[in-house]
Amino acid sequence: MGVVVKGLGASLPEKILTNQDLEKMVDTSDEWITTRTGIKTRRISKKDEPSSKFAIEAGRMAIEDAGMKPSDIDVVIVATVTPDMMFPSTGCIVASELGMGETPAFDISAGCSGFLYAMNIADSFIRAGKYSTALIIGVEELSKITDWTDRSTCVLFGDGAGAAVLTRSEEEGILSIEIRSDGSKGELLYMPAGGSRMPASEYTVKNRLHYVKMNGREVFKYAVTKMPAISKEALEKAGVSVDQVDLFIPHQANQRITESTGERLGIDPSRVFSNIAKYGNTSAASIPIAWWEAYKEGKIKEGDIILLAAFGAGFTWGAAVVKWRRK
Ligand code: UT7
C-alpha cells in the first residue's frame, strides 16, 4: 500500500504589486529587491478576501484535478499562519464551503514548512488506515500581517494558496517525508502580539507588534544549511540518489536560498524550479503553488522524482521525495 498525490490546485489574488510600486512606499529599489531576493512582483489580496477564499478555490481545483468529488475527501488539513480567524479553523470553513458535510478539518501552524507538515500528517493518516483520501492546503495572506513601513520585510511576501489531494494507492508515490523543528530560534521570525502571551491592546497596536518581525540574515544562514541537510536525509530514506531527482521544488523564500540549496545538493539549475519572481514568498502556500505551476507548464512527467524542501518560522524545516504517479 502506498500514498500518491492525485491532484493539485492553486489560487492567487488578481492584484499585482510590483517592485516599482514598492519604491513609492518605502526606501527601496527594484535593483535591491531583484539582486537580493529575485522577486519582481507579488500578489496581494483585497480587504474583503480572507485566506479561506483562495484555500477553497485551490482545494476545489485539486479535487477536480484528482477526478474526485468533495464527498471523496476524508479529512482536510490547512497549513497557514494567516487563518481567517484564530478560530474556528480555516479548515472548517473550507470543508463547509466545499459541501463536505461533517468531514474532519483542522489547521496546522508550521510557518513556511506548513505544507510539508500537512503532507506528513495526511500521509501518516492514510498509511495507518485511518483515512483513504486527504485534501491538504497551504494558504497565506502575509500581506495582512506585513508592516508596510518596514522595507526589510515588506518587499518579500505575497498571498496565495496551493492544494493537493493525497490518496491510498497500490503504487508508492510519497517515498519519504522528514520534518524537524527548533523552537529556541522562534524569535528570529515571528509575530509578537495577538496570542495569549501578548494579547491585542492599545500598546501592541501602537508598537506595531501585530506584524511579522524577522532577522533576515540569521534566517538565511539556517535556511541554506538545514534545507540541503534534510533533503539529503529524505533522499536517503527514499533510496533515491540526487542524480535521480527530475525536479527540485524548494520553498520560494529567496532566489539566493534556492540557488544555494540546489548547489549544495549538486542539482543542476535546470532541474530547480523557481517562480519567486512572480509571487514572492507565500510561506506555506509556496511549495504547492510552485508544484502546480511546474505541473501546468509540463515540467513533470509520469514517473518523475520530485524533491520538495522548506524552511520557516518555528524554526521548522522539512523535505519530501515524491514519485509522480497520475495514471
Ligand atoms: O520563508 C522563510 C523565512 N524567510 C527567509 O528565508 C528569508 C531569509 N532571509 C533573506 O532572504 C535575506 O536575509 C533578506 C532578503 C531578508 C535580506 O537580504 P540580506 O542580503 O540578508 O540583507 P541584510 O538584511 O543583510 O541587509 C543589507 C542592507 C542593510 O543595509 P546596511 O545595514 O548594510 O546599510 C539593510 O538595511 O540592505 C538594507 N536593506 C534594504 N535596502 C533596500 C534591507 N532591506 C532593504 C530594502 N531595500 N528592501
Side-chain angles (χ1 to χ4, degrees):
M1 209 266 318
V3 179
V4 295
V5 176
K6 203 72 188 151
L8 293 174
S11 173
L12 291 142
E14 274 170 28
K15 183 180 156 54
I16 297 173
L17 186 74
T18 66
N19 291 349
Q20 287 71 21
D21 295 330
L22 282 160
E23 283 175 352
K24 292 176 203 138
M25 296 160 65
V26 288
D27 180 15
T28 191
S29 65
D30 173 46
E31 200 267 332
W32 191 96
I33 303 170
T34 306
T35 54
R36 298 286 179 132
T37 73
I39 302 166
K40 286 290 201 185
T41 60
R42 64 290 285 149
R43 300 296 182 93
I44 305 292
S45 54
K46 293 184 195 143
K47 266 190 184 158
D48 62 350
E49 290 179 326
S51 290
S52 60
K53 176 185 176 195
F54 302 101
I56 291 162
E57 285 172 8
R60 187 179 285 124
M61 274 173 74
I63 294 168
E64 277 172 19
D65 186 47
M68 292 182 176
K69 301 181 295 300
S71 56
D72 295 321
I73 303 295
D74 301 319
V75 62
V76 177
I77 308 171
V78 174
T80 185
V81 296
T82 48
D84 282 25
M85 297 164 259
M86 291 288 275
F87 64 88
S89 73
T90 300
C92 287
I93 297 168
V94 170
S96 167
E97 288 295 319
L98 289 178
M100 289 180 182
E102 296 179 356
T103 300
F106 56 94
D107 291 357
I108 59 146
S109 168
C112 303
S113 313
F115 186 78
L116 293 182
Y117 267 66
M119 199 167 165
N120 192 44
I121 298 166
D123 180 70
S124 306
F125 274 152
I126 297 169
R127 282 181 203 280
K130 183 85 189 168
Y131 302 119
S132 297
T133 303
L135 172 65
I136 60 170
I137 301 173
V139 61
E140 299 295 3
E141 291 196 348
L142 293 172
S143 68
K144 294 191 176 154
I145 56 164
T146 292
D147 184 345
W148 291 102
T149 65
D150 174 10
R151 70 173 183 174
S152 72
T153 53
C154 77
V155 301
L156 304 173
F157 303 120
D159 301 342
V165 171
L166 272 59
T167 192
R168 179 176 298 158
S169 165
E170 282 169 15
E171 309 276 7
E172 199 54 273
I174 296 181
L175 307 183
S176 68
I177 310 181
E178 291 295 310
I179 53 171
R180 299 282 187 279
S181 83
D182 179 358
S184 71
K185 307 289 185 306
E187 292 189 5
L188 293 173
L189 173 51
Y190 76 137
M191 187 172 86
S196 57
R197 190 176 291 193
M198 207 187 283
S201 67
E202 200 182 330
Y203 173 85
T204 62
V205 173
K206 265 193 187 149
N207 287 282
R208 313 185 77 75
L209 299 176
H210 295 272
Y211 294 124
V212 179
K213 311 281 174 200
M214 179 168 73
N215 180 332
R217 230 176 272 190
E218 282 303 304
V219 176
F220 191 102
K221 275 198 259 171
Y222 280 93
V224 295
T225 53
K226 296 296 186 188
M227 284 217 292
I230 200 152
S231 297
K232 283 182 191 156
E233 283 183 52
L235 287 167
E236 202 178 305
K237 287 258 164 71
V240 166
S241 71
V242 168
D243 297 342
Q244 290 174 286
V245 173
D246 296 292
L247 194 64
F248 174 39
I249 306 177
H251 163 51
Q252 309 285 306
N254 184 322
Q255 185 61 22
R256 284 152 57 214
I257 296 178
T258 292
E259 284 167 13
S260 161
T261 306
E263 261 167 43
R264 283 177 197 226
L265 285 169
I267 301 178
D268 189 80
S270 63
R271 290 187 284 133
V272 179
F273 189 80
S274 172
N275 62 1
I276 192 165
K278 286 194 279 184
Y279 306 127
N281 179 347
T282 57
S283 186
S286 94
I287 287 182
I289 293 172
W291 195 352
W292 169 80
E293 218 168 72
Y295 162 55
K296 286 286 161 203
E297 288 171 9
K299 293 198 165 119
I300 307 174
K301 304 181 304 296
E302 186 72 12
D304 273 1
I305 299 281
I306 301 162
L307 171 66
L308 311 170
F311 185 88
F315 288 158
T316 56
W317 60 103
V321 181
V322 179
K323 187 162 188 166
W324 189 243
R325 293 185 187 275
R326 297 299 308 270
K327 289 179 185 149

